[in-house]
Amino acid sequence: PRETVQAYPPFVAVSGSDLRHQTSSHVDVKGGEAVVGVVTETANSLGRLYVAPLVEYGRGHYDSYIDNNIHGKGTASYYGAGVALRQTFGQGFYADASARMGRVDSDYSSSDLDGASSVKYDLGTTYAALHATLGKAFAIDDKRTATLYAKYFYDWQKSANATLSSGEAYRFASVDGHRVQAGGKYSYGLSSLYVDMLYQYEFQTEARATYTGLSTPLASMKGSSGSLGLGWHKEAEKGSPWFADLQAIGWTGKQRRVAAHIIAGYKF
């Protein structure tokens, strides 16, 4: 039997970060994003199924530094829509998945290229992203909980053409990204404080551009990263229908960043 337990509670998630990507050189990114959606909660023969249609938007500023002392900068933004799913099972097991698609727009400028006082271009293309999670929560006692999880992420950006302000036409190849995470979370209390630690490995992810048959040097994100997050989480309950999650995260390794995430919603 299937029964709708809670219909369409809305939620909003907001985050900001200061991120360094170590490629063959490095890129520093400062920005933020927001996700807005609604959730349906359904009881089924396996446990509970949560379905959340959503829309997302993000914007940031970046500085890129290449080994030959070329400094470039620009802005990037994206907007899209998707759906997130969560199925709970017995004995603390759960599975998550999501699919998103939209458009990303960016621009670039540099005054360090040979023979040009300043070079600029604009670029727009399509993106898609998928993720899947398997996890298990363990009740240590009536207040303390530990969770172990494994996650897989896939990101894709379509190839695109851009014409530099100096007249050259470049073609940017499509980019596919695959990464896995394994981690654990320790929580204390219903309105809980928690610690979240994970290890991430990104497989060979390369970005390439070509001009008149010649290829630019590859930028690769392949490698390991680790993170430590500290947060506070509140479940919705009778007399207090708000739910929220606040988290601060630090990363090291291939990705180096600090980030803050805020999720809030209301169950009617």
Side-chain angles (χ1 to χ4, degrees), residues 142-158:
D142 59 347
K143 290 186 176 180
R144 295 180 297 164
T145 303
T147 303
L148 297 177
Y149 58 83
K151 299 183 179 184
Y152 167 76
F153 296 86
Y154 171 74
D155 303 286
W156 170 79
Q157 185 169 299
K158 186 179 179 182

Side-chain angles (χ1 to χ4, degrees), residues 8 14 37 55 71 96 100 105 116 132-133 190 200 203 231 258 266:
Y8 307 112
V14 180
V55 294
H71 169 223
D96 292 342
R100 307 173 347 258
D105 295 299
T133 301
L190 179 61
Q200 173 177 285
F203 296 92
V258 293
Y266 187 90

